Amino acid sequence: MAEAVSRATVRRICPPEVAALFMDRALRIAHSFRLAVAFSRGETTMGLEPIAEKTCDAGVACAWRL
């Protein structure tokens, strides 16, 4: 939910090229967080793929799914 709100806000107040940069950075941060959580749990991180915005657009809980 929070990801969708922030994405909508970024798209509303930023030009498209700037919004794309913000979203790219946010998704990379989210992926790094997922890696850190998995690592701290002792899980392998080899299967965690980077989060793609098109996955988020498909309605998949992407950035917040640990």
Side-chain angles (χ1 to χ4, degrees):
M1 169 90 173
E3 184 271 331
V5 172
S6 61
R7 182 171 31 147
T9 301
V10 166
R11 287 182 176 168
R12 183 171 44 90
I13 64 173
C14 297
E17 54 279 347
V18 175
L21 291 172
F22 271 110
M23 287 309 301
D24 179 62
R25 176 66 57 96
L27 292 174
R28 284 191 280 144
I29 291 169
H31 181 65
S32 294
F33 180 71
R34 287 175 56 209
L35 289 170
V37 169
F39 184 75
S40 71
R41 291 177 178 169
E43 301 169 354
T44 182
T45 57
M46 295 300 292
L48 287 177
E49 304 230 352
I51 302 165
E53 188 169 2
K54 64 181 178 182
T55 304
C56 298
D57 289 338
V60 176
C62 55
W64 311 112
R65 187 174 190 183
L66 304 175

